[in-house]
């Protein structure tokens, strides 16, 4: 795997944190269907997020890759 520059890795970690915390907050607010649709979470990750400690979320967020998958709306015109 090529070396990831520190500034890029910091950005990835920040995005991962935001993604995981936003999804967890939506789940805890009872918006499971909305979170599933917006974040594309599978059942295992949804269940894990509901009970994950801040430390566990931080550990997952600081993996070297992105945890989210960019998706284009089906109705979007090709760029």
């Amino acid at each position: 795997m090529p070396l990831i520059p520190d500034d890029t890795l910091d950005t990835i970690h920040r995005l991962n944190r935001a993604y995981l915390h936003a999804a967890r907050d939506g789940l805890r607010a009872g918006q499971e269907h909305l979170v599933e649709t917006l974040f594309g979470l599978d059942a295992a990750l949804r269940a894990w997020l509901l009970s994950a400690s801040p430390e566990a979320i931080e550990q997952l967020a600081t993996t070297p890759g992105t945890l989210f998958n960019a998706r284009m709306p089906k109705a979007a015109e090709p760029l």
Side-chain angles (χ1 to χ4, degrees), residues 3 12 20 35 38 43 53 58 68 74 76-77:
L3 184 64
I12 290 169
L20 292 170
V35 168
L38 291 176
S53 68
E58 179 65 14
F68 55 91
K74 291 178 184 175
E77 292 183 34

Side-chain angles (χ1 to χ4, degrees), residues 23-77:
R24 185 196 61 191
D25 292 348
L27 290 170
R28 289 184 175 174
Q31 300 171 332
E32 201 166 308
H33 180 70
L34 181 62
V35 168
E36 180 181 349
T37 302
L38 291 176
F39 295 92
L41 303 182
D42 63 21
L45 185 53
R46 285 194 313 267
W48 181 83
L49 276 174
L50 280 170
S51 62
S53 68
E55 295 81 12
I57 289 175
E58 179 65 14
Q59 185 176 8
L60 181 58
T62 55
T63 58
T66 58
L67 298 176
F68 55 91
N69 189 13
R71 297 173 287 160
M72 290 291 292
K74 291 178 184 175
E77 292 183 34

